[in-house]
Amino acid sequence: MLPSHSSLAIPDIVAPGVNILAAIEDAYVIGSGTSMATPHVAGVVALLKALHPNWSPAALKSAIMTTASVTDERGMPILAEGMPWKVADPFDYGGGHINPNGAADPGLIYDIDP
């Protein structure tokens, strides 16, 4: 069953966000979730912007989305957590897992104007 229109939340990209060591006030904690994955994506965008200063936000997103991987580091399909576990699909991972090295030299980018 597909999610209802009001609860449809398809990610653009998946980034590391589980069991991330983070600083909070005067302590370090292990955190998981979107708030842990977002800084990884922001860092990749900053690095890409340094490599390609003339790229627009759309070009940066294109490079990230078109070079994402839908397999894990062993070449196996990404699994979606839940009960029961299943092979993930675009509703789980969007374009796939972020690949900074691939995005640095994507070969082709799609750019748009506002």
Side-chain angles (χ1 to χ4, degrees), residues 38-57:
T38 301
H40 287 90
V41 177
V44 169
V45 170
L47 291 171
L48 289 175
K49 191 67 175 172
L51 284 172
H52 305 284
N54 296 325
W55 280 9
S56 69

Side-chain angles (χ1 to χ4, degrees), residues 47-103:
L47 291 171
L48 289 175
K49 191 67 175 172
L51 284 172
H52 305 284
N54 296 325
W55 280 9
S56 69
L60 293 165
K61 182 176 180 177
S62 170
I64 290 170
M65 297 288 290
T66 59
T67 59
S69 174
V70 296
T71 59
D72 66 15
E73 65 276 2
R74 297 176 307 271
M76 301 298 293
I78 297 172
L79 297 177
E81 293 184 8
M83 297 308 284
W85 280 33
K86 68 176 185 83
V87 173
D89 58 39
F91 288 102
D92 299 309
Y93 55 65
H97 196 277
I98 197 165
N99 176 359
N101 291 333

Side-chain angles (χ1 to χ4, degrees), residues 5 20 22 25 31 50 60:
H5 178 67
I20 304 297
E25 295 180 4
L60 293 165

